[in-house]
Amino acid sequence: MLVAAIMDIVTSNCDTIEKTPFKSSLPGNATMRDIAAAIQVIEEGGMYFDEPEKDDDSDDGRSGIKGIGIKILEGTTVLGLSRTSGLAPLGDLNANAGEETPKTFALLSKHDNSSQANLSSAVIPGLWDDLHCQHVAVPFAAWALANWAMASDTNRSHIQELDRDGQVVMTALMAPERTVKWHGSLVARLLLEDLKLPLSDSVSDWSSSLLATVSHASKTEDISLAQVALSAFLVSVDRSDKAQKMVMEKGLHLMRDSARKTRKHKTVQEGLSKALELLCAGDMHLSLEESQKWSGILLSWVLGKVASDTVQSSARRILSRTFEDYGPHSVPISQGWLTLIMNEILNHSKTVSAKGASLPKNEKPKVDQSKVTSATQSTNLLAVAVVNLAMAQLGTVPESVNNVPLADLLLSEPFAVPIKNLKKDSPPKFNAAESALATIKAIKSLTDVCAEDSVCQNKIVDFGILCLLRRFLLSDDYEKLGAIEAYDASRALEARDRTPDSLGESSITDIQDPCSVRVPASAHIRRHAARLLTILSLLPQVQKIILADETWCKWLDDCAKGNISCCNDPKTQSYARASLLNVYCNQQDGSGSGDGGSSKPDISNMNSNCPRYGDMIFLINPGLPHWKCHEKERQSGKKNESSSEGEPANVTDTVGDHVVDASNLSSSIDPSSSGSHVHDPEFDVIFLHGLRGGPFKTWRIAEDKSSTKSGLVEKIDQEAGKLGTFWPSEWLSNDFPQARLFTLKYKTNLTEWSGASLPLQEVSSMILEKLVSAGIGDRPVVFVTHSMGGLVVKQILHKAKEEKLDKLVNNTAGVVFYSCPHFGSKLADMPWRMGLVLRPAPSIGELRSGSPRLVELNDLLRQLHKKGVVEVLSFCETKVTPIVEGYGGWAFRMEIVPIESAYPGFGELVVSTSIYKIP
């Protein structure tokens, strides 16, 4: 009866132990004697009576039977029996069919025949099998020890005192019975979690055994055992430096194997990711080879493949640590990460397109196929760069990719084709400049695809793009790659000079000249990374992450001020300041940046107290002190600081280890908080370029005035305005220090051969949204326009009037037109007459002479001027303009905007004799 009673208790409480491991079935005041008896059973594998043996034979005629009475249930003595002779080997635990039933089990069945039915329903897998074995006492003792450990800290103290060297727990962890391992793991965890107890000297051994159990349980898909062993292993790694050292030296491969085997089980993945993060967080670091071996698993975690937010966060921090530790040598991993993100976004775009195929035309989601095509090409190019760089660092092409450290990464989908195309006898040549170029194109394509898609933006944030952007901005990995390439070429050249001529020239021809090594375009990487950051900085979760990263905020501020040598590009400086303003103003305002799920916010209801600087709006001279949040908003932010200081803590862990108190960052983010009083700007000046122009190059005075240095075909990603002086920054800022200066960008092309461009109304609506978001129109504003830019401003004012944005219309103090085709352009007439050849862009058709739309827009501006709301100043040309530069002189010239079209019929007119130039 007593045995049956304990059997019922074990059966009924197994489920409780599994699901709620801190609820015990045994009392919290167990005696030292009882705990010692259980420990003795586990240690020696047998059970002993309290009384000394009187006879060699037992009452039932069996010889060699020993037992013990253990007070388990409030004084109820439970009897367990085990043979002392003829014991089966530890590995032979379960009775096979046809064999003699173990005597222990026979005795148990003799007391109560119902025990078998009860045990068969046990929740902990293996308990019934363990109770069939010769060592039935050990599973009972392990169960009792685990329940006592759960019951109270007093019991745990007794267990620790009786097992000072930890060998009993170690014996349980190494036991062949599955339930003994399970309960032994639980005991180990409970002892380790009790900070009042001294740490056992055997913790590193426990950790090794626990990890082996996790690995074996993962292979056999015994997830329950893997979970409890992993929970104990995690605590051991957290508390013991010796355990960490042991795992780093001998156990990382077991953790990887377990991670691969349990991809569908989030709890196991969470435990493994947390354990790996603990290993990487201290003084110990993963080696480069180990980092590469883990990269595929870590990136699958980051991308959320059956991974929780906890796993994603841990993986991001581990990868960030890898980048910090190994710099340029980790570029294949960072490029691989970017490639996988691109691949996920392309799959998302395909899914959206497929779902929209069956919808009516007006309900179909907008997917720009030209951008998707470009992104696909960039992804393929980057995948090739990853494979080539990985093989170049390896120094050879192995027979099987499975043998390389980056195998898990390179065997994933985007890299399959480049891997297949590798030539075993001809390793790819390493080229840092080409590797950087592939990265540039990938970032640019990703930005273009996600610029107006908030769903896409949130996805790439979840995929860890901020970790990559931070690395691209703050590090110089590609410069170092170029230096390594030049150094290797120099060493190879020295080796060639020492090589005897008898070796022939075949081995010499492949040596690269160090002087031919190209410098990677790192400035372009930073510019495109900064652009994407500016777009993402409008998302509330991104604002919290950046705000809590002091190093990043400081870098952005220094970049905006031009204090960093790698940040001389005006676009990068503008992006840096815009990102900081988005982060600081919106977070301190307490409202975030609005609805993160909508890519088309209602511009009529935007909060003018909190400017939002989006894509393609550039701040001129962003280092000036007047680029700040409104005083009213800043004071409001200080009031909210105390309630929001802790908020970033749950989000900042997704970037890396750079987490600080946001309240200490105001001096680096907002110049107005430094103590000196800064006057609010009095008015805004907006520069808007024309056809094939740019936000900077249109407004430069070129040093070479005899040539445009550009044909009709645009150069891809040409550096903005690198010739001459950008006069709005260098001249106008000095004349009007009280003004904020902006320059805008929008896509324009003469023909569809050079890319798609939007019609005038779409361009104007898009720019209007950005202007209102940035708070332009809250104070007097002057537009300075060139060519088609003047028509865009007219359309903006027309749209603002329709949307009842009276503040922008009424605050428009003046418009300056440089060669604006108010009534059409001859250049626009030409491609329409040759439409089959030149394929004119939609925006060009709207510039044809006599266009009714142009007349309508001009009438609106005339009314505003007549009312005294807007002053108008127009400049026009009088000379013909070279359109195409041919050999030996200009091949084609024409008067693009005649004086009768350049003058709107009102306001001042200035006639210029200089040559009109297509930038």
Side-chain angles (χ1 to χ4, degrees):
M1 292 297 293
L2 295 176
V3 173
I6 186 60
M7 300 287 277
D8 288 337
I9 293 170
V10 171
T11 303
S12 64
N13 285 284
C14 283
D15 186 44
T16 303
I17 295 172
E18 288 270 354
K19 296 181 180 179
T20 312
F22 295 101
K23 183 178 180 181
S24 173
S25 300
L26 302 183
N29 58 347
T31 65
M32 289 282 283
R33 175 175 170 274
D34 291 338
I35 295 177
I39 285 177
Q40 188 177 13
V41 169
I42 295 173
E43 191 170 26
E44 299 185 9
M47 304 189 79
Y48 296 82
F49 284 112
D50 295 329
E51 302 80 15
E53 290 187 42
K54 297 180 179 178
D55 301 315
D56 293 337
D57 297 332
S58 62
D59 295 338
D60 62 357
R62 290 184 174 89
S63 61
I65 299 296
K66 294 184 178 182
I68 189 169
I70 305 178
K71 291 182 179 178
I72 294 181
L73 296 176
E74 301 291 344
T76 302
T77 300
V78 178
L79 185 66
L81 301 174
S82 180
R83 288 194 303 170
T84 59
S85 60
L87 291 177
L90 291 181
D92 184 16
L93 299 172
N94 297 324
N96 297 324
E99 292 185 0
E100 180 184 359
T101 302
K103 296 180 180 180
T104 301
F105 176 67
L107 289 175
L108 293 175
S109 300
K110 181 178 179 181
H111 284 282
D112 194 327
N113 292 328
S114 65
S115 61
Q116 180 174 353
N118 290 333
L119 281 173
S120 63
S121 62
V123 176
I124 298 180
L127 181 58
W128 176 234
D129 293 333
D130 290 346
L131 294 179
H132 274 72
C133 72
Q134 301 286 357
H135 296 71
V136 65
V138 177
F140 276 139
W143 175 86
L145 203 63
N147 274 266
W148 278 325
M150 284 189 289
S152 69
D153 53 358
T154 302
N155 286 352
R156 290 192 294 273
S157 178
H158 290 336
I159 295 172
Q160 179 81 3
E161 184 177 352
L162 293 170
D163 185 28
R164 292 181 181 275
D165 58 2
Q167 289 305 308
V168 172
V169 175
M170 188 66 188
T171 300
L173 294 176
M174 298 179 66
E177 296 95 342
R178 188 261 182 198
T179 52
V180 177
K181 286 181 181 288
W182 197 97
H183 289 109
S185 300
L186 186 56
V187 172
R189 172 185 167 182
L190 293 167
L191 294 178
L192 289 168
E193 287 180 335
D194 193 335
L195 300 181
K196 298 177 183 179
L197 300 177
L199 203 61
S200 172
D201 293 335
S202 299
V203 172
S204 60
D205 294 331
W206 293 2
S207 184
S208 176
S209 181
L210 287 165
L211 182 55
T213 299
V214 173
S215 177
H216 183 266
S218 299
K219 291 178 182 178
T220 59
E221 297 187 358
D222 188 349
I223 302 305
S224 173
L225 179 58
Q227 287 175 339
V228 70
L230 184 56
S231 66
F233 170 74
L234 188 58
V235 183
S236 71
V237 171
D238 187 25
R239 291 202 60 189
S240 172
D241 294 338
K242 290 183 179 179
Q244 292 181 10
K245 184 177 180 181
M246 182 281 302
V247 177
M248 292 291 279
E249 292 177 353
K250 303 176 181 179
L252 289 175
H253 68 286
L254 294 177
M255 291 178 62
R256 280 197 303 276
D257 291 341
S258 300
R260 296 189 188 103
K261 296 293 185 180
T262 58
R263 293 184 187 274
K264 297 181 180 179
H265 303 281
K266 290 185 179 181
T267 53
V268 179
Q269 297 282 299
E270 285 181 4
L272 290 169
S273 65
K274 190 63 179 178
L276 187 61
E277 184 182 357
L278 287 171
L279 293 171
C280 299
D283 296 333
M284 289 183 291
H285 301 251
L286 291 176
S287 66
L288 176 60
E289 182 177 353
E290 283 292 343
S291 298
Q292 293 173 335
K293 289 179 178 179
W294 273 100
S295 62
I297 296 172
L298 290 170
L299 290 176
S300 68
W301 285 347
V302 168
L303 296 178
K305 303 215 180 263
V306 199
S308 65
D309 292 341
T310 303
V311 174
Q312 286 181 296
S313 298
S314 295
R316 283 192 283 260
R317 285 192 291 269
I318 296 168
L319 287 167
S320 296
R321 183 69 180 268
T322 298
F323 298 155
E324 294 289 339
D325 290 343
Y326 300 108
H329 299 288
S330 65
V331 167
I333 299 176
S334 62
Q335 283 187 325
W337 192 350
L338 182 59
T339 307
L340 293 174
I341 291 177
M342 294 281 292
N343 192 61
E344 290 293 325
I345 294 303
L346 289 174
N347 290 337
H348 165 70
S349 299
K350 292 177 183 177
T351 302
V352 171
S353 298
K355 289 182 178 179
S358 59
L359 296 175
K361 187 175 182 179
N362 60 340
E363 297 181 11
K364 287 186 178 181
K366 290 185 177 181
V367 178
D368 192 329
Q369 291 301 328
S370 63
K371 292 179 180 179
V372 173
T373 301
S374 176
T376 302
Q377 295 171 350
S378 299
T379 302
N380 294 335
L381 180 65
L382 188 60
V384 172
V386 171
V387 172
N388 288 345
L389 183 54
M391 294 302 112
Q393 290 183 347
L394 195 63
T396 182
V397 178
E399 291 296 328
S400 173
V401 181
N402 293 310
N403 299 326
V404 305
L406 286 168
D408 283 343
L409 173 61
L410 298 180
L411 290 174
S412 54
E413 179 185 347
F415 310 103
V417 175
I419 287 292
K420 184 178 180 180
N421 293 336
L422 280 176
K423 298 180 180 179
K424 301 293 187 297
D425 55 343
S426 179
K429 293 183 178 180
F430 167 61
N431 189 309
E434 291 183 1
S435 183
L437 181 61
T439 301
I440 292 170
K441 291 184 176 181
I443 302 173
K444 185 177 185 297
S445 297
L446 182 63
T447 305
D448 289 341
V449 170
C450 294
E452 302 296 331
D453 186 346
S454 61
V455 175
C456 176
Q457 293 170 20
N458 282 284
K459 277 185 173 293
I460 63 176
V461 170
D462 291 339
F463 294 156
I465 192 64
L466 292 180
C467 296
L468 292 176
L469 295 183
R470 190 183 192 279
R471 188 67 192 172
F472 293 147
L473 291 171
L474 273 65
S475 73
D476 54 357
D477 290 341
Y478 287 90
E479 291 97 325
K480 291 178 180 178
L481 271 181
I484 292 173
E485 180 185 2
Y487 175 77
D488 290 344
S490 177
R491 292 293 300 273
L493 197 61
E494 293 176 3
R496 185 195 66 178
D497 294 339
R498 295 193 299 266
T499 302
D501 296 339
S502 59
L503 293 180
E505 299 181 357
S506 58
S507 62
I508 297 177
T509 56
D510 293 335
I511 296 178
Q512 184 178 13
D513 184 356
C515 298
S516 67
V517 175
R518 292 182 294 160
V519 178
S522 299
H524 289 266
I525 293 179
R526 286 191 177 91
R527 181 204 300 169
H528 290 293
R531 178 193 169 198
L532 181 53
L533 180 65
T534 301
I535 295 171
L536 298 178
S537 66
L538 295 173
L539 301 176
Q541 68 268 34
V542 175
Q543 293 164 3
K544 293 179 181 179
I545 292 171
I546 298 175
L547 187 64
D549 190 333
E550 183 179 14
T551 303
W552 203 351
C553 288
K554 181 67 166 57
W555 187 94
L556 290 170
D557 186 59
D558 287 341
C559 176
K561 294 177 178 177
N563 295 337
I564 300 178
S565 58
C566 63
C567 283
N568 296 323
D569 177 62
K571 285 187 176 181
T572 306
Q573 293 175 353
S574 172
Y575 289 136
R577 177 62 67 200
S579 297
L580 277 179
L581 291 173
N582 287 338
V583 168
Y584 185 74
C585 294
N586 287 281
Q587 278 300 305
Q588 298 297 356
D589 183 59
S591 59
S593 60
D595 183 8
S598 174
S599 59
K600 293 291 183 182
D602 183 1
I603 60 177
S604 63
N605 294 323
M606 286 184 178
N607 179 11
S608 60
N609 290 329
C610 190
R612 302 167 68 242
Y613 300 100
D615 188 27
M616 301 308 180
I617 179 167
F618 298 98
L619 288 57
I620 299 176
N621 290 340
L624 295 179
H626 62 237
W627 291 108
K628 64 182 184 67
C629 299
H630 294 295
E631 186 71 19
K632 174 183 175 182
E633 182 187 352
R634 186 167 61 87
Q635 292 174 354
S636 173
K638 289 183 178 178
K639 294 179 182 179
N640 294 330
E641 238 174 40
S642 59
S643 62
S644 62
E645 283 178 4
E647 289 180 5
N650 295 328
V651 187
T652 51
D653 58 356
T654 60
V655 172
D657 303 325
H658 315 277
V659 180
V660 297
D661 185 354
S663 62
N664 296 327
L665 300 179
S666 60
S667 61
S668 65
I669 300 175
D670 187 1
S672 64
S673 62
S674 60
S676 60
H677 181 67
V678 179
H679 294 286
D680 288 337
E682 297 178 6
F683 62 96
D684 295 333
V685 180
I686 316 298
F687 290 85
L688 200 61
H689 66 81
L691 282 173
R692 297 187 62 252
F696 291 92
K697 65 181 180 179
T698 292
W699 311 107
R700 290 183 181 268
I701 298 178
E703 296 174 359
D704 183 0
K705 299 181 182 298
S706 62
S707 172
T708 66
K709 297 297 183 185
S710 175
L712 284 176
V713 180
E714 292 178 317
K715 296 180 180 179
I716 298 177
D717 197 30
Q718 183 181 17
E719 185 176 351
K722 60 184 177 181
L723 296 176
T725 300
F726 182 54
W727 60 265
S729 172
E730 300 190 29
W731 298 348
L732 206 61
S733 286
N734 294 329
D735 293 337
F736 300 102
Q738 71 276 29
R740 295 191 311 172
L741 308 182
F742 297 88
T743 181
L744 305 183
K745 178 180 179 180
Y746 62 100
K747 190 169 184 178
T748 63
N749 297 300
L750 288 175
T751 71
E752 291 185 355
W753 293 110
S754 52
S757 61
L758 297 173
L760 182 62
Q761 294 187 18
E762 287 190 54
V763 170
S764 301
S765 297
M766 179 183 66
I767 294 178
L768 175 61
E769 179 183 313
K770 296 181 184 298
L771 293 178
V772 176
S773 297
I776 296 173
D778 294 343
R779 55 177 63 85
V781 57
V782 175
F783 291 97
V784 181
T785 69
H786 175 247
S787 181
M788 183 179 172
L791 302 181
V792 173
V793 168
K794 286 182 177 183
Q795 180 63 45
I796 287 174
L797 295 175
H798 185 274
K799 180 71 173 177
K801 192 174 180 64
E802 287 183 346
E803 298 285 341
K804 292 182 170 48
L805 297 173
D806 298 332
K807 187 183 293 186
L808 175 60
V809 176
N810 295 332
N811 278 335
T812 300
V815 182
V816 179
F817 296 106
Y818 283 96
S819 297
C820 174
H822 294 285
F823 304 106
S825 169
K826 293 181 179 179
L827 183 64
D829 295 336
M830 181 185 67
W832 281 93
R833 297 191 184 106
M834 302 174 64
L836 294 177
V837 178
L838 296 182
R839 294 174 58 192
S843 56
I844 298 300
E846 297 172 311
L847 298 183
R848 286 178 294 169
S849 299
S851 170
R853 182 62 180 169
L854 298 184
V855 175
E856 180 184 355
L857 294 178
N858 197 63
D859 289 341
L860 171 64
L861 189 63
R862 185 193 304 273
Q863 294 173 13
L864 294 175
H865 178 265
K866 187 175 181 179
K867 293 177 181 178
V869 176
V870 179
E871 294 293 329
V872 175
L873 174 62
S874 302
F875 291 83
C876 70
E877 61 176 333
T878 59
K879 292 188 177 181
V880 294
T881 300
I883 302 299
V884 180
E885 185 177 358
Y887 293 103
W890 298 111
F892 183 73
R893 301 167 183 262
M894 70 178 299
E895 185 182 32
I896 297 178
V897 182
I899 190 170
E900 60 270 18
S901 183
Y903 181 55
F906 49 89
E908 294 186 48
L909 174 65
V910 177
V911 179
S912 172
T913 57
S914 62
I915 299 178
Y916 177 99
K917 293 173 56 179
I918 294 181

